[in-house]
Each structure stands twice: as C-alpha cells, then as structure tokens.
C-alpha cells in the first residue's frame, strides 16, 4: 500500500468560487498517474468516505493527463467568508486526502 504522499508531488485544495472546493493531486510521474486512474481506487465512494459527505457531494473527478493530475470538485460545507468559516481560501481542506492509501 502506498500513501498519497508516496505517489503525489502536490496535494492541495482551493476554492472554486465561494461555494465550491477543488482538491488537486499531482502525481509524481505518468506511470503513477496511469496506475492510479486504472486502479479505480481514487473513486467518488472513497472520497465521500474520507470527507464524511454524501456520495452526491463529490460532483466531479477530472483526470488531467498533461499535468499527471486529478481534480475533485465538491461543495464547501460553509460558504467562503461566511460566519463560522475558518478557511476562507479553502487552502486547508486537503487533509483528509493525506490518509488515503492505494494498492498500486
């Protein structure tokens, strides 16, 4: 089993407007990108479980070959800048990804 930081050079999150969050995982090379994609292990079900959200909240998973990257789009739990928002830029929301492991 490989942790996500064993296969990725970048794991980050950011806002995609005030209502959506984008998670980015940039793999270390094309071989790891292809292996992860083919494995089916980076799935909406696993992401929903890692984030404790309903499956329907994983709106999109985009595999971007030119950057060996995968992007996940999901709604923010709290609108950016609203009372109670502790991460206005969405830059600290990638932590649940760091616990994910893959059999590659």
């Amino acid at each position: 089993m490989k942790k996500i930081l064993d296969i990725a050079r970048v794991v980050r999150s950011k806002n995609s407007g005030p209502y959506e969050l984008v998670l980015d995982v940039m793999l270390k090379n094309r071989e790891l990108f292809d292996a992860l994609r083919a494995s089916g292990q980076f799935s909406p079900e696993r992401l929903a479980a890692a984030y404790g959200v309903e499956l329907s909240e994983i709106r999109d998973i985009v595999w971007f070959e030119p950057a060996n990257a995968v992007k996940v789009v999901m709604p923010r739990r709290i609108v950016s800048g609203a009372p109670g928002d502790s991460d206005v830029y969405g830059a600290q929301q990638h932590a649940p990804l760091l616990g994910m492991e893959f059999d590659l």
Side-chain angles (χ1 to χ4, degrees):
M1 296 296 281
K2 295 185 181 279
K3 290 190 175 263
I4 201 162
L5 291 179
D6 295 332
I7 63 171
R9 61 181 176 84
V10 174
V11 180
R12 68 182 182 196
S13 60
K14 60 185 181 244
N15 286 342
S16 175
Y19 304 104
E20 284 187 327
L21 185 67
V22 173
L23 310 172
D24 293 322
V25 178
M26 297 173 198
L27 287 300
K28 289 182 178 179
N29 57 52
R30 184 55 182 258
E31 292 75 27
L32 290 168
F33 172 85
D34 289 339
L36 183 62
R37 186 178 193 178
S39 76
Q41 295 175 65
F42 198 82
S43 66
E45 293 82 7
R46 286 194 69 198
L47 290 161
Y51 278 85
V53 299
E54 296 292 322
L55 184 58
S56 62
E57 292 194 41
I58 306 301
R59 293 189 178 152
D60 203 3
I61 297 177
V62 179
W63 296 89
F64 188 65
E65 292 178 13
N68 296 325
V70 58
K71 294 180 164 284
V72 179
V73 180
M74 57 192 295
R76 285 183 52 102
R77 291 185 182 184
I78 298 175
V79 175
S80 178
D85 181 18
S86 61
D87 185 10
V88 72
Y89 299 110
Q92 304 301 317
Q93 304 306 309
H94 60 281
L97 294 177
L98 301 179
M100 295 183 80
E101 294 185 339
F102 305 95
D103 186 15
L104 301 178

